[in-house]
Amino acid sequence: MQTKNQFSRIIIFIAFALGLRFLIVGRVLENTEVWWLQATAIILIFYIGIGYVFRGTAKVIEETTDVLKNRTKLAGGFLQAFGTAFPDMVIGVVAALISLQVRNTDYVRAINLAIIAASTTFGSNIYNILHAVWCIYRQNLANIKHQTVLMFPFFKSAGSLKPLGEHNVKPSIKEMDGAIRVLTALTLLTAFVAISMVLFGQVKNEKIAGDLYQLIMPVGIVLFILCVSVLYYFRKSHRPQSQVKEIIEEERYYDQQGSWRIWLDLALSGIAILFTAESMVKTMEIFSHLTHIPFVVTGIVAGLIGCFGEMMVVHNFSINPKGRIGDAIVGVAMDNIVTTMGAAIVAIIGGIFLGSNSLILIFIIILTANTLLIEQISKLKNSLQNIK
């Protein structure tokens, strides 16, 4: 693909994102009470936002992070995470900011928006971890059977996974160890959030039925520092230099571009993600009113939207046998730590709330998913050791 064509694609992503935010949301969704117009606008926002903008920017992130990794010596998963976690963070932060704006005039709406912020931020961690569990499970199945298996049975279009022995470039043992350590750190951070909300964040208000828990500002500050420390600690790449050279030979487009051009494409992709994610927040609030679905459920659905980019990258790295499955695993764990850092930012500005039932369910599922992924990575590591 020529440089100008790639650049044009990214500009089109931005144009669509701006159109979603200021035309479909600003002119239609927020200025009509006609339910079928609102429903049509919501469908358009989902279709264009997920199917085109998020999917396209995920491809840009996938193509650029490995080249940047080689040039900066930073972990590919570390770089990948900041790009793919951006929608989750934006949705959560925007929801929290809107919540603060209306808190003095409509407290119930403010809490509902804060619940969307929390369930989006933490709910997205569930999806990409469980998706990664499935991807690595299918890879392990291919290794055990010594034959190619489909990513999803009966769906050839979703791609297939070859046994590791047939991969030209294989992930390293150090990458597997690093992924397990990052996931362990994520588990500890997640437990810290849940325990802190229960011990220090109970909120009582006559306008809100049931128990409510907040991630308070002091805990948010501590959480932010912990997340930054973990990200900094695991920032380095563990890929052998011989494998780096082999992958460079296969990746020609961005490898031929200057670093400034790569960072520019990532920054412009981030702008497209920003406006699309902001549209999602307003869309999910109206969607909840139209369908009478609880806001926590709406937020969890928004989390799926936010982590779609990460899921796409993990999927593509898994079915692409170039040694990138290691980046995929580290990227998932790093993505969730970046998302947790986003939750800390939201907590600092005062916008993380969850009901007792949703708090218990969300965090138990996250911790269970982390454990399952660690198990699958351990099996993958054993396969690597047997090949060697």
Side-chain angles (χ1 to χ4, degrees), residues 221-279:
I221 294 172
V222 174
L223 181 63
F224 181 83
I225 294 171
L226 290 173
C227 289
V228 170
S229 301
V230 171
L231 290 170
Y232 180 80
Y233 183 80
F234 291 106
R235 72 193 185 281
K236 292 295 185 180
S237 173
H238 295 290
R239 175 175 288 168
Q241 195 62 29
S242 60
Q243 293 186 355
V244 170
K245 293 178 180 178
E246 188 169 349
I247 290 175
I248 288 177
E249 291 178 358
E250 297 179 2
E251 298 295 337
R252 301 312 308 169
Y253 175 68
Y254 274 111
D255 188 56
Q256 294 177 347
Q257 309 305 319
S259 295
W260 68 269
R261 171 63 204 287
I262 296 175
W263 287 112
L264 175 63
D265 282 13
L266 282 175
L268 292 175
S269 297
I271 292 172
I273 292 171
L274 171 65
F275 284 104
T276 304
E278 185 181 357
S279 299

Side-chain angles (χ1 to χ4, degrees), residues 38 52 64 76 86 88 94 128 205 274 282 286 303 323 361 376:
Q38 290 180 323
Y52 189 73
T64 56
F86 194 61
D88 306 7
V94 169
N128 52 26
N205 190 287
L274 171 65
K282 297 181 180 295
I286 294 174
L361 289 175
Q376 292 301 320

